[in-house]
Amino acid sequence: DYPENWRPHEDARGHGVTIVPDGGVVQLSNGQQSLVYGVVVSHYVPFEGQIGPDVFGSGQTDTHLDDATDDLVRELTSGNPHLRLVPNSKRRQTIDGAPAMSAVLAGRSPVTGEEERVTVFTRELPDHHVLYSLFIAPGRDYAALSRTFQRMITSLDVNERAAHN
């Protein structure tokens, strides 16, 4: 469920969708686009695809999901060096009846020059891949959007039988 004035844009590879309000994407001087408001829902293969007991240790779902979330956060902060994990922000959640995790990233956006906040949600799939959602907004607007973001994540319906490569 998302606001009717927001528009979904499917990922070119078909692995996800970005949902943005008007003005949520800005054109940079180099011609690239940058997301300043919106939600990304996509698929992630943790640990560079090295899935197996050697990576996960105990094999417990909670441990794997925690480790996979940390791996995704490392990838996100590596690609967006202005973002840092907010201390003590990791939380256990539930998405569509299954265990999930959330973590908050924040930092000064190189695009807007203002604080940017990103809440990362992860939910493990049966093959140990991860479905993730990124809720992105400037810090000054994040509280106002939190109800919208909460409604979106609680309405997420995960089809665990969907094929993916």
Side-chain angles (χ1 to χ4, degrees):
D1 186 23
Y2 56 88
E4 64 181 48
N5 63 337
W6 290 35
R7 300 288 169 247
H9 303 275
E10 187 175 338
D11 178 271
R13 298 171 308 178
H15 289 154
V17 65
T18 300
I19 307 168
V20 296
D22 288 340
V25 176
V26 297
Q27 188 82 22
L28 302 178
S29 60
N30 64 5
Q32 292 184 321
Q33 295 183 329
S34 180
L35 181 64
V36 292
Y37 289 92
V39 176
V40 175
V41 180
S42 196
H43 170 265
Y44 180 68
V45 181
F47 312 105
E48 298 180 1
Q50 298 177 14
I51 297 175
D54 294 340
V55 175
F56 305 133
S58 70
Q60 294 177 335
T61 300
D62 286 350
T63 302
H64 172 257
L65 184 59
D66 191 45
D67 291 344
T69 301
D70 289 345
D71 187 59
L72 177 60
V73 166
R74 275 190 298 277
E75 286 292 316
L76 291 168
T77 56
S78 173
N80 300 278
H82 65 284
L83 293 175
R84 296 281 178 255
L85 180 65
V86 173
N88 304 311
S89 68
K90 280 182 65 179
R91 304 270 186 270
R92 298 214 179 279
Q93 305 281 339
T94 302
I95 296 176
D96 194 21
M101 299 285 298
S102 68
V104 178
L105 308 176
R108 184 158 310 280
S109 168
V111 174
T112 66
E114 299 177 25
E115 181 199 22
E116 177 180 45
R117 293 184 67 85
V118 179
T119 299
V120 180
F121 286 91
T122 56
R123 181 188 184 276
E124 188 174 6
L125 298 171
D127 62 2
H128 296 297
H129 292 190
V130 172
L131 175 76
Y132 72 90
S133 300
L134 307 176
F135 293 80
I136 304 162
R140 64 180 155 73
D141 297 328
Y142 206 89
L145 285 167
S146 65
R147 291 182 74 193
T148 299
F149 289 162
Q150 188 62 35
R151 188 179 81 226
M152 291 173 80
I153 197 66
T154 59
S155 70
L156 185 61
D157 184 20
V158 179
N159 179 355
E160 291 185 345
R161 294 181 304 276
H164 61 272
N165 297 328

